Amino acid sequence: QLVESGGGSVQAGGSLKLSCTTRGHTTGGACMGWFRQAPGKEREGVARISPGVIFYSDSVKGRFTISSDVAVGTMYLQMNSLEPEDTAVYTCAIVFRGCATVSGPADFPYWGQGTQVTVS
């Protein structure tokens, strides 16, 4: 089970930090990712992380930072310089292999419920 927290409303230029906590899973060696979906748009991969591997989408590179704490089974997404275009439901996901072998959302079998981020 994955549980996201930290979403909310913020003005453009502001920051938010999302958390994704796994319950009942160990995350060592796993690839964890953040995805987002805005109304009327397809789901977009934002960032993903596994030991020694980090990917960012071009749209968030330099503004967002993904990190994880394997000891507590939690992944984070620090979002800075937020823009209205970042408004979406953000969802975390996990697959139990490294990110280098993952290509997109279809590779992730386990998903959270999502948390709304609104930038105005």
Side-chain angles (χ1 to χ4, degrees):
Q1 181 181 5
L2 302 176
V3 180
E4 301 97 340
S5 62
S9 297
V10 65
Q11 291 187 334
S15 299
L16 284 173
K17 185 173 184 177
L18 305 182
S19 298
C20 172
T21 300
T22 63
R23 294 182 179 176
H25 296 288
T26 58
T27 59
C31 180
M32 296 186 73
W34 285 102
F35 298 83
R36 67 185 182 185
Q37 189 166 20
K41 295 188 176 181
E42 292 187 356
R43 178 177 282 169
E44 174 192 14
V46 174
R48 56 185 187 264
I49 185 170
S50 65
V53 179
I54 292 179
F55 292 108
Y56 293 102
S57 69
D58 289 342
S59 60
V60 306
K61 199 173 294 182
R63 301 187 298 123
F64 291 10
T65 302
I66 190 171
S67 61
S68 67
D69 187 338
V70 175
V72 296
T74 301
M75 173 179 64
Y76 307 96
L77 186 68
Q78 177 67 48
M79 305 185 294
N80 298 329
S81 301
L82 283 161
E83 304 167 351
E85 293 74 20
D86 296 315
T87 295
V89 175
Y90 285 71
T91 308
C92 65
I94 187 171
V95 57
F96 292 98
R97 64 180 192 265
C99 286
T101 67
V102 170
S103 60
D107 290 318
F108 289 83
Y110 303 105
W111 292 80
Q113 293 300 308
T115 185
Q116 177 70 44
V117 171
T118 302
V119 185
S120 59

